[in-house]
Amino acid sequence: MSDKFDKYLPYGRQSISEEDINAVVDILRGDWLTMGPTVERFENMFASYIGAAHAVSFSSGTAALHAAMHVAGVSPEDNVILPSFTFAATANSVVYCGGKPIFADMSRDTLCLDPESASVVAQKAGGPVKVIAPVSYAGYPADIGEFKKIAARHGALVVEDASHALGAARGDKKIGVEADMTVFSFHPVKHITTAEGGMVTTNSSDFAKHLKLFRSHGLVRDKKDFVRPYEGAWDNDMIEIGYNYRLNEISCALGESQMKRLPSFVARRRKIASLYREKLSSLSGLSLPPDHPGHSYHIFAIWVANGRRNEAFEFLRQSGIGVQVHYVPVHLHTYYRQKFGCKEGDFPVTENFSAGQLSIPMFPDMTDEHVDFVAGKIKESLS
Ligand SMILES: Cc1ncc(COP(=O)(O)O)c(C=O)c1O
């Protein structure tokens, strides 16, 4: 290979066009750097792509998760059921609200939260279950209908962490329409980027309004939203504690421009996945990730058998391939062990999968040659 990835091929990377650059430059030449018209335009474009009634932008996926948990009503002593096999932010957002993350095991068939395990831990939670929070891991569309059934038994809501799953779908339903609230991330390795950024989609206008309140200090300006008497056009009232979690105009312009190429990004990711399948499916000592027609392939998560993952990781890194591990199970992080008494052995499927997991390069600007190179090096690493 002879290109900019000669020395190092990352596992994920943004794809930036001249149009993206011009969109950002236009904002810098204009009047609004934050709180201007681009925010709403990006949100409307996003909502209409997903098919949801509302999309509310945030300064990161983590801020979006925090807001969604708050708006779902997670308060001290409330339980939230979620997979341990996720990024720490899913669980952290529950802790920010004072709630208790109750982990459940994953399914090897989907690599997502196992509905059976979620149902069992919800029953044993020993307190109110406020939210079930499945994660569409790697871009595999989690079966939200299943989780809604479990949530209904507890009077809980479903908040989906779809940080990996923009563009994923089950049948004709895009991820982002079924859950009560769905969270996306726009970190540079994700399907589209705004540098940092996130979004919550929902069909509830009450949730959308509350999400906007939370992202901007808990302040209202409209007379009809005041709790105390309104004193005039200059007045504003802080009706609950909020944050500055707003996404700026520069990021929204980049997001808007990136959204135009989202269908081609997803198509290229699917193509790369099918090339990997062609080249790697006959290799022994390796499992390939579950496929689904609506998979949007944020990550291509392989599993290396026979305890050889770390060896493969080192070999591939030395070959200039930026493999990663997604994830160390959240219940095994020191914070969760110390604060919530989690321990090894709690979630055997998760621990076993995590011990062999490897994320290999997957991003739209990768060429077929890069895929060949990665597949060849994986074969070498296991020979
Ligand atoms: C599953 C999951 N949840 C949440 C996040 C947090 O998103 P952000 O980095 O935009 O805060 C990420 C980001 O990597 C993620 O992968």
Side-chain angles (χ1 to χ4, degrees):
M1 286 185 314
S2 136
D3 54 38
K4 68 179 171 188
F5 300 122
D6 252 2
K7 299 238 160 10
Y8 188 74
L9 182 68
Y11 90 92
R13 194 183 197 279
Q14 69 275 16
S15 172
I16 300 293
S17 67
E18 282 306 310
E19 207 181 335
D20 293 335
I21 293 168
N22 291 337
V24 167
V25 170
D26 283 350
I27 295 292
L28 292 172
R29 293 191 202 284
D31 294 328
W32 301 89
L33 292 184
T34 187
M35 297 169 84
T38 321
V39 178
E40 208 174 312
R41 266 204 334 260
F42 176 43
E43 290 174 337
N44 290 342
M45 188 177 185
F46 196 90
S48 105
Y49 170 83
I50 296 288
H54 307 276
V56 181
S57 60
F58 285 87
S59 51
S60 68
T62 303
L65 272 167
H66 182 191
M69 291 300 169
H70 170 79
V71 167
V74 177
S75 316
E77 306 315 319
D78 285 339
N79 296 309
V80 173
I81 313 297
L82 75 162
S84 169
F85 196 60
T86 182
F87 184 53
T90 323
N92 294 351
S93 66
V94 178
V95 181
Y96 298 156
C97 297
K100 190 170 173 208
I102 308 273
F103 296 110
D105 217 336
M106 69 190 281
S107 153
R108 271 303 279 261
D109 296 338
T110 63
L111 308 184
C112 300
L113 178 61
D114 175 10
E116 185 61 37
S117 175
S119 177
V120 169
V121 299
Q123 250 152 24
K124 290 188 186 156
V129 174
K130 250 315 165 21
V131 167
I132 311 272
V135 177
S136 284
Y137 174 80
Y140 186 101
D143 187 349
I144 299 306
E146 274 299 308
F147 295 110
K148 279 178 122 172
K149 286 185 212 156
I150 302 168
R153 293 204 287 273
H154 295 271
L157 296 178
V158 174
V159 173
E160 178 181 3
D161 183 347
S163 295
H164 294 188
L166 180 56
R170 291 186 81 84
D172 59 359
K173 280 194 187 125
K174 288 233 170 61
I175 284 292
V177 283
E178 274 199 279
D180 295 289
M181 283 176 269
T182 307
V183 174
F184 297 91
S185 159
F186 306 137
H187 177 277
V189 293
K190 301 296 191 331
H191 295 85
I192 65 158
T193 192
T194 59
E196 297 280 1
M199 192 76 86
V200 181
T201 56
T202 180
N203 285 324
S204 156
S205 47
D206 286 347
F207 289 164
K209 192 170 173 187
H210 199 174
L211 287 164
K212 285 180 185 168
L213 184 69
F214 189 73
R215 98 176 153 186
S216 204
H217 309 288
L219 274 169
V220 295
R221 289 175 197 282
D222 272 5
K223 185 179 177 185
K224 64 175 174 10
D225 296 324
F226 271 57
V227 175
R228 63 160 169 77
Y230 174 77
E231 295 198 24
W234 55 266
D235 202 3
N236 55 70
D237 188 14
M238 201 189 107
I239 60 174
E240 64 167 63
I241 191 74
Y243 293 76
N244 178 352
Y245 276 168
R246 296 184 300 262
L247 190 61
N248 64 66
E249 290 277 302
I250 301 168
S251 290
C252 288
L254 179 55
E256 196 183 17
S257 178
Q258 290 256 300
M259 279 302 284
K260 295 181 194 154
R261 283 185 297 144
L262 176 58
S264 68
F265 288 159
V266 173
R268 180 64 191 154
R269 285 173 178 276
R270 287 181 178 150
K271 176 71 187 165
I272 292 168
S274 76
L275 290 173
Y276 274 140
R277 285 183 193 285
E278 254 173 47
K279 291 170 200 307
L280 297 174
S281 60
S282 59
L283 261 192
S284 63
L286 191 72
S287 307
L288 298 184
D291 201 6
H292 185 286
H295 204 311
S296 65
Y297 286 104
H298 160 50
I299 288 173
F300 198 80
I302 63 172
W303 187 79
V304 182
N306 310 318
R308 298 190 65 192
R309 194 270 313 274
N310 294 357
E311 192 192 321
F313 180 96
E314 288 303 333
F315 178 85
L316 293 166
R317 279 288 180 96
Q318 274 162 23
S319 308
I321 300 174
V323 283
Q324 293 279 3
V325 169
H326 297 105
Y327 292 99
V328 172
V330 183
H331 76 278
L332 295 183
H333 283 301
T334 298
Y335 175 83
Y336 285 93
R337 290 181 194 242
Q338 289 180 346
K339 188 164 165 86
F340 295 100
C342 304
K343 57 185 186 320
E344 246 158 72
D346 281 352
F347 303 107
V349 183
T350 298
E351 290 170 31
N352 177 267
F353 187 77
S354 169
Q357 195 274 346
L358 210 50
S359 299
I360 62 176
M362 166 62 81
F363 56 95
D365 289 353
M366 269 179 83
T367 62
D368 293 5
E369 240 189 318
H370 293 134
V371 177
D372 274 344
F373 173 69
V374 174
K377 288 293 175 190
I378 290 173
K379 276 181 203 157
E380 254 183 77
S381 80
L382 296 179
S383 60

